[in-house]
Amino acid sequence: MLLIEPAYELLDCGAGRKLERFGPWVLDRPAPGADGAQTQPDLWESVSARYTGSRTTEGSWKPAIKKWPKASVEFPVTLTEGKQFRMLLSPLPSGQIGVFPEQLGNWQWIARQAAKPQAAKVLNLFGYTGGSTLTAAVAGAEVTHVDAAKSMVARARENAELSGLAEAPIRWIVEDAVKFCQREVKRGNTYDAVILDPPSYGHGPKGEGWSIKRDLLPLLNLCKELTESRPKFVLLTCHTPSIGPAELSAYLSDGLFGHCGQPPKSGTLYLKTSSGRKLASGDFAHWPG
């Protein structure tokens, strides 16, 4: 299985918040899926920092980022067979810190799929700080990493350097995902696999608007062309509350395979406390199942 060292741990959740340990940090952050009561109130009293405000609007860390004793932490992610990469974690104004722990199971799946000899060229759209990109690269794939935020692509490249992957076959692209795919279709370029983690709403580097309900299916149609309707694997994840596993599976089926194809596997991404309490943290659909 995948392990993060220093250890990640979901300590508690409830009342719309989650309490997590990332190595030396204990963080209190918003979590829309955290229903019910917080079960260990004492743990919430002594934290490294709290983020107040929605994750999708302006908020702030308390204490302020400049007052943190450690402004960043190197976070090794160990894959099976001794393969590893590193991610630099640091508090961002959005309330994120550079990694989504709920994606660990997906990284394991990507590593398994990308290690297959025939899955050589991987397109990672909305690549953020590069967890999926580095997973595929460590497994031996050639990767094109696309994100609209220049700062996130810079962080992903820094993570690649930390991981000894500065010379790996990774293309780093700062561009709107839809525009990039449209241009790739016109260029006649193709890929063996596609990874997508689209936001609910967003903007490209030139102000291009993105709405997942309006734009996801057309983007998947472009991915169908880019994989010539024969992808080796596809992974689609999202954190949009109104889109669940069944809807994601339907998007993937309609966009890439049609109704007669083998249905993708879908489900919910969870974080879990040591006591077994689960926190729903997004959904996934992937093919093959």
Side-chain angles (χ1 to χ4, degrees), residues 9-12 39-40 272-278:
E9 186 178 5
L10 176 65
L11 299 172
D12 196 11
T39 60
Q40 301 188 64
K272 186 185 294 186
T273 67
S274 59
S275 64
R277 188 177 185 188
K278 290 184 177 181

Side-chain angles (χ1 to χ4, degrees), residues 33-266:
D35 298 326
Q38 297 167 358
T39 60
Q40 301 188 64
D42 291 347
L43 294 179
W44 297 78
E45 295 301 320
S46 299
V47 299
S48 304
R50 292 183 174 88
Y51 187 82
T52 58
S54 169
R55 293 183 299 173
T56 57
T57 60
E58 292 186 2
S60 61
W61 289 100
K62 294 184 179 180
I65 294 172
K66 63 182 180 181
K67 295 183 178 179
W68 288 37
K70 288 189 176 182
S72 61
V73 172
E74 285 190 25
F75 222 51
V77 180
T78 302
L79 302 171
T80 54
E81 301 178 359
K83 295 180 179 179
Q84 184 182 88
F85 64 87
R86 291 174 178 267
M87 301 190 76
L88 184 67
L89 305 190
S90 60
L92 302 172
S94 63
Q96 304 297 348
I97 61 169
V99 67
F100 289 98
E102 63 269 20
Q103 293 284 0
L104 292 180
N106 286 332
W107 289 345
Q108 184 179 36
W109 185 85
I110 290 169
R112 189 163 60 247
Q113 299 299 322
K116 297 179 180 179
Q118 70 270 28
K121 292 180 64 179
V122 176
L123 175 61
N124 184 18
L125 300 172
F126 311 97
Y128 192 54
T129 53
S132 294
T133 291
L134 299 182
T135 297
V138 167
E142 176 184 335
V143 189
T144 297
H145 175 106
V146 182
D147 197 281
K150 185 177 181 179
S151 61
M152 291 298 99
V153 174
R155 173 65 63 84
R157 295 190 71 160
E158 186 174 5
N159 288 335
E161 292 173 2
L162 285 173
S163 304
L165 296 170
E167 303 302 319
I170 303 173
R171 284 199 301 161
W172 305 102
I173 309 294
V174 180
E175 193 168 356
D176 174 74
V178 174
K179 283 191 173 181
F180 175 78
C181 289
Q182 289 171 338
R183 290 170 180 161
E184 287 291 86
V185 168
K186 290 180 180 179
R187 295 174 186 129
N189 290 334
T190 60
Y191 296 86
D192 299 309
V194 183
I195 301 165
L196 310 93
D197 184 27
S200 301
Y201 301 96
H203 292 88
K206 296 182 179 180
E208 302 93 338
W210 166 268
S211 168
I212 192 169
K213 291 190 174 181
R214 181 191 67 208
D215 299 322
L216 179 56
L217 187 57
L219 178 57
L220 290 172
N221 290 154
L222 290 169
C223 292
K224 180 178 181 179
E225 293 188 64
L226 290 173
T227 58
E228 298 180 311
S229 302
R230 298 189 301 272
K232 303 303 181 183
F233 71 86
V234 182
L235 170 64
L236 171 61
T237 58
C238 85
H239 296 75
T240 304
S242 59
I243 298 178
E247 289 81 5
L248 275 189
S249 181
Y251 272 117
L252 209 52
S253 292
D254 291 348
L256 270 81
F257 304 111
H259 294 291
C260 297
Q262 180 184 354
K265 180 179 179 180
S266 62

